[in-house]
Amino acid sequence: MKRLIIKTAFTFFLVTMAGKSWAQSGSFKAKNPYYSRTVTTPLKVSNAEWKKILKPELYQVAREGATETAFTGKYDEFDEKGTYFCAVCGNPLFISTSKFATTCGWPSFYQPLTRNSVKYRKDTSYNMVRSEVLCGRCDSHLGHVFDDGPKPTGKRFCMNSVCLDFVPNSKKK
């Protein structure tokens, strides 16, 4: 119950602060010439350009490396079958069969869709040493990977929901 109250309050805050246009999911994609679920060619786009295109909350996490608050993301306790794409560029990242339940507060996967779906970078922020996970196409920050996941990989790709777009199997073409 507490999670539901927190999620509801956070959603209300974001919608109130950002206005109606933010709440209309998908509307920004029409304005994003770099978004494609089929093109996988690496992108080199400046943060200044991304800032003009992306919603503020997505820009803050994906391009500035912020982290969404635990238990507030739309995919934290989400269990539909389909594919997760980068919300910035449309790159295919994960499939639902590699998603697993955790209590960490973010959606977690044990492996990316392909070896080139993601990239890694050493992250020493907050007096920790972690492996940051970046989109393999646009270099956007997605989250971090840890060595405490389930078999077969033993990895936990802990991702920010705001950086993910989900397409159910029934809608994929």
Side-chain angles (χ1 to χ4, degrees), residues 45-138:
V45 180
S46 71
N47 275 347
E49 179 70 12
W50 284 125
K51 193 167 191 167
K52 294 175 191 173
I53 297 169
L54 302 176
K55 295 181 279 184
E57 63 281 356
L58 177 56
Y59 179 83
Q60 184 180 18
V61 175
R63 303 309 304 175
E64 294 182 338
T67 300
E68 66 188 359
T69 304
F71 305 106
T72 62
K74 59 187 169 186
Y75 301 123
D76 174 35
E77 293 182 6
F78 183 79
D79 196 29
E80 287 189 39
K81 300 299 180 208
T83 305
Y84 293 85
F85 296 85
C86 175
V88 174
C89 73
N91 188 41
L93 300 171
F94 301 96
I95 55 173
S96 58
T97 54
S98 70
K99 189 173 188 290
F100 63 98
T102 66
T103 57
C104 69
W106 294 274
S108 297
F109 304 85
Y110 63 79
Q111 70 184 11
L113 183 61
T114 69
R115 195 179 70 160
N116 296 326
S117 293
V118 298
K119 297 177 184 178
Y120 308 94
R121 178 169 58 200
K122 185 177 182 178
D123 178 359
T124 58
S125 62
Y126 303 105
N127 295 319
M128 295 184 274
V129 178
R130 303 178 288 176
S131 291
E132 180 182 15
V133 179
L134 306 168
C135 174
R137 180 168 183 242
C138 70

Side-chain angles (χ1 to χ4, degrees), residues 11-45:
T11 301
F12 175 77
F13 171 76
L14 287 177
V15 171
T16 302
M17 294 303 291
K20 185 178 177 184
S21 63
W22 175 82
Q24 297 169 342
S25 65
S27 62
F28 82 98
K29 289 178 186 68
K31 298 175 187 172
N32 183 348
Y34 308 106
Y35 192 92
S36 173
R37 292 186 179 147
T38 57
V39 177
T40 58
T41 307
L43 292 170
K44 297 296 178 200
V45 180

